[in-house]
Amino acid sequence: MVLSKTASESDVSIHSTFASRYVRTSLPRFKMPENSIPKEAAYQIINDELMLDGNPRLNLASFVTTWMEPECDKLMMDSINKNYVDMDEYPVTTELQNRCVNMIAHLFNAPLKDGETAVGVGTVGSSEAIMLAGLAFKRKWQNKMKAQGKPYDKPNIVTGANVQVCWEKFARYFEVELKEVKLRDGYYVMNPEKAVEMVDENTICVAAILGSTLNGEFEDVKKLNDLLIVKNKETGWDTPIHVDAASGGFIAPFLYPELEWDFRLPLVKSINVSGHKYGLVYAGIGWVIWRNKEDLPDELIFHINYLGADQPTFTLNFSKGSSQVIAQYYQLIRLGYEGYKNVMENCQENARVLREGLEKTGRFNIVSKDIGVPLVAFSLKDNHKHNEFEISETLRRFGWIVPAYTMPPDAQHITVLRVVIREDFSRTLAERLVIDIVKVLHELDSLPARVNAKLAVAEEKAAASGVDIVHHKTDREWELEVAEAWKKFVTDKKKNKTSGVC
């Protein structure tokens, strides 16, 4: 006689995840569950929910790297359990960080003597890097004002209104007034003349952006430096410059090597750059480099010994992973100057292809500049029929994530779409995006929800040209026309629908 055994409900080892009870249960949202679940079920259920996220490769809103080579992926996974701050336990990782700092400092033309070590630190991104640089400027300014017997309680920073939100965070968190140079229509970066006019004795630094988030444009750091030298001589001040090169720091040295924006300019005392943008590393790494040791007050550096040896530290956080630092070193030695130059030239060329494709539609004004971060910012020439936000929303149906946003004051009446061209955005994708944007325009042109607006525009044009409009439709007639338009729209969609495998 053959004996059979019925598996208990708790014996899940023989079950497929989708044959188990765990797919019938909602995931906890507020409280930790009482009981454990199998690792396979936990993985599958979370993985399934994550499918609803957008595709990072098609997220054209982000400057952050979304692709790296498998060899670098493996290095990152192999070091994911190393704590970056344990310098005594992981001395090689610390050495790799120092090598990155020195390589980047030389890339930015820091005035280092033979064998001299650069001053800088790795951070979790440019936001932390800017906080650290800002704190150094504030402390150095305070020390100077104290020595002169002057008040030191009202520091300020001069920037353009186009700065990234991390500058506003620094100003609010560390009690520094943010003096913003307003933008204007057609000029979407900080005006150097106006910036220097706003500088006073309490200005701890002027922040220039090499690669505006809004349209990728490089601000004129050299002109700012020259104007500020004149003002410093006239006033006896020594107001310095910080360059926020989060996006442009790994672009300008390779595409525009003759452009003077870095430590070649005497008033540039510190520079931040995002390794996770055009430094070509996954999210979580930034760098801040100082011109020399005198520009980083020693009292901001902490020394600890409870991890095994004396360790200097200047960060806003403490523990963090080592993977991104190791990945940055991999990219620097793997690609070298030649490789980075090739990548940036490819990005620049694919941005040109996209820009020309959009110009050929005749529907857009290009807001971005030829020289700057490889991105394309554009706005509709005529937004009476539909606007940039509708284009952004409709493009999501094709998988594209293209942001739409309004410009800061005093250009807030301008709405812009922006496509960031990263390393993994090929010419084929650029051409495909143009095709899909054209499809979106045609679809929005025919949407019945806009019939009212379109006819209103037609009436305005007719009135302007002196043509009499004989009949004004009633609200009921409008409703019937919209309903009929919807019916036609849905019917046409059904007729044109084809079957296929996605």
Side-chain angles (χ1 to χ4, degrees):
M1 182 178 179
V2 177
L3 298 176
S4 63
K5 179 182 177 182
T6 302
S8 67
E9 187 178 0
S10 62
D11 183 10
V12 296
S13 60
I14 64 172
H15 291 313
S16 156
T17 298
F18 294 115
S20 71
R21 59 189 170 89
Y22 301 105
V23 296
R24 301 197 304 266
T25 306
S26 296
L27 286 177
R29 286 177 168 78
F30 302 106
K31 292 183 178 180
M32 185 185 295
E34 293 293 331
N35 300 315
S36 304
I37 66 174
K39 60 182 183 295
E40 297 85 359
Y43 170 82
Q44 188 66 59
I45 294 169
I46 295 173
N47 184 68
D48 288 352
E49 191 166 10
L50 287 172
M51 290 192 302
L52 299 174
D53 270 345
N55 183 340
R57 293 279 302 277
L58 299 181
N59 178 10
L60 307 182
S62 178
F63 292 80
V64 175
T65 297
T66 53
W67 179 87
M68 295 186 74
E69 292 176 324
E71 291 79 6
C72 192
D73 289 346
K74 187 176 186 306
L75 275 176
M76 295 182 74
M77 290 306 299
D78 290 346
S79 58
I80 200 167
N81 58 350
K82 291 183 180 179
N83 191 350
Y84 170 79
V85 301
D86 291 347
M87 300 177 185
D88 196 50
E89 288 78 1
Y90 308 118
V92 175
T93 299
T94 301
E95 170 63 20
L96 297 189
Q97 186 235 209
N98 294 337
R99 292 177 191 176
C100 289
V101 167
N102 281 286
M103 289 180 183
I104 295 170
H106 280 94
L107 191 66
F108 295 167
N109 294 293
L112 300 172
K113 299 176 183 177
D114 291 342
E116 184 179 358
T117 302
V119 181
V121 66
T123 63
V124 294
S126 275
S127 292
E128 185 189 6
I130 284 168
M131 303 284 175
L132 298 178
L135 285 171
F137 281 118
K138 182 181 178 182
R139 180 57 59 89
K140 192 170 182 182
W141 172 83
Q142 287 176 326
N143 291 343
K144 179 189 71 174
M145 297 298 278
K146 287 179 184 178
Q148 295 176 358
K150 295 180 179 179
Y152 53 90
D153 59 335
K154 293 182 179 180
N156 68 69
I157 285 181
V158 176
T159 71
N162 56 317
V163 291
Q164 215 262 1
V165 68
C166 60
W167 283 99
E168 298 177 35
K169 289 181 179 180
F170 169 77
R172 188 176 302 178
Y173 296 165
F174 297 104
E175 298 180 325
V176 176
E177 180 190 0
L178 192 66
K179 299 170 71 172
E180 295 184 337
V181 178
K182 302 298 182 185
L183 310 185
R184 67 174 189 269
D185 195 357
Y187 195 90
Y188 305 118
V189 293
M190 180 178 69
N191 184 312
E193 288 94 345
K194 292 184 178 180
V196 173
E197 288 175 6
M198 296 174 72
V199 169
D200 59 32
E201 192 175 18
N202 293 326
T203 302
I204 64 175
C205 75
V206 181
I209 303 178
L210 194 78
S212 171
T213 301
L214 302 177
N215 68 345
E217 187 174 352
F218 291 168
E219 292 183 343
D220 193 340
V221 186
K222 186 178 188 311
K223 187 172 184 179
L224 175 66
N225 177 84
D226 295 345
L227 292 171
L228 204 49
I229 286 176
V230 174
K231 183 156 190 172
N232 283 343
K233 286 182 178 178
E234 292 174 349
T235 59
W237 305 333
D238 56 354
T239 307
I241 295 172
H242 174 85
V243 179
D244 179 358
S247 299
F250 277 110
I251 294 171
F254 306 106
L255 293 183
Y256 315 106
E258 301 305 317
L259 182 68
E260 294 183 48
W261 62 274
D262 51 19
F263 292 121
R264 285 171 287 183
L265 304 175
L267 292 184
V268 174
K269 303 299 183 180
S270 57
I271 301 172
N272 69 276
V273 64
S274 291
H276 60 219
K277 291 181 180 176
Y278 288 94
L280 308 180
V281 178
Y282 290 139
I285 185 68
W287 304 92
V288 55
I289 311 295
W290 283 272
R291 185 182 192 87
N292 52 49
K293 292 180 180 179
E294 290 72 27
D295 295 310
L296 175 57
D298 189 63
E299 62 261 38
L300 293 178
I301 302 172
F302 289 82
H303 293 266
I304 60 170
N305 63 8
Y306 50 78
L307 292 176
D310 179 69
Q311 298 174 7
T313 176
F314 181 38
T315 60
L316 293 183
N317 64 322
F318 196 62
S319 294
K320 67 176 180 179
S322 299
S323 297
Q324 270 73 12
V325 172
I326 293 169
Q328 184 72 82
Y329 185 65
Y330 171 91
Q331 292 289 51
L332 290 172
I333 67 167
R334 160 78 175 96
L335 295 173
Y337 189 93
E338 177 190 30
Y340 269 96
K341 188 173 188 293
N342 290 338
V343 169
M344 301 312 155
E345 287 177 344
N346 287 345
C347 291
Q348 185 183 48
E349 176 63 17
N350 290 330
R352 182 192 63 78
V353 170
L354 178 60
R355 182 178 67 250
E356 291 177 355
L358 292 171
E359 288 174 333
K360 287 178 181 177
T361 67
R363 304 286 292 271
F364 297 105
N365 291 315
I366 304 300
V367 177
S368 49
K369 305 296 182 181
D370 292 339
I371 296 179
V373 177
L375 62 78
V376 183
F378 53 104
S379 60
L380 284 165
K381 290 181 177 179
D382 181 4
N383 59 7
H384 286 91
K385 295 180 180 180
H386 38 74
N387 59 41
E388 290 82 1
F389 294 101
E390 290 173 295
I391 292 175
S392 174
E393 184 65 29
T394 310
L395 276 171
R396 284 180 176 265
R397 294 206 343 258
F398 295 85
W400 304 106
I401 301 174
V402 178
Y405 52 88
T406 55
M407 289 290 193
D410 287 329
Q412 60 266 41
H413 58 286
I414 304 295
T415 305
V416 172
L417 292 153
R418 187 194 67 211
V419 174
V420 178
I421 309 299
R422 298 190 303 271
E423 175 188 19
D424 54 351
F425 188 81
S426 64
R427 177 169 184 151
T428 300
L429 288 177
E431 292 170 344
R432 182 71 203 184
L433 178 58
V434 172
I435 291 171
D436 288 343
I437 288 175
V438 171
K439 287 180 182 177
V440 166
L441 290 172
H442 288 325
E443 184 173 319
L444 290 174
D445 285 342
S446 62
L447 273 179
R450 305 291 292 181
V451 168
N452 247 340
K454 292 176 188 175
L455 290 176
V457 171
E459 287 185 359
E460 288 177 8
K461 289 182 178 178
S465 61
V467 177
D468 292 331
I469 301 173
V470 178
H471 175 64
H472 290 276
K473 296 176 183 176
T474 65
D475 290 343
R476 178 58 180 163
E477 286 174 322
W478 280 119
E479 291 172 7
L480 290 172
E481 182 167 338
V482 169
E484 287 299 318
W486 265 116
K487 287 178 183 178
K488 183 177 183 303
F489 180 77
V490 174
T491 302
D492 291 342
K493 278 286 185 184
K494 288 180 179 179
K495 286 180 180 178
N496 296 330
K497 188 175 181 181
T498 58
S499 60
V501 179
C502 296

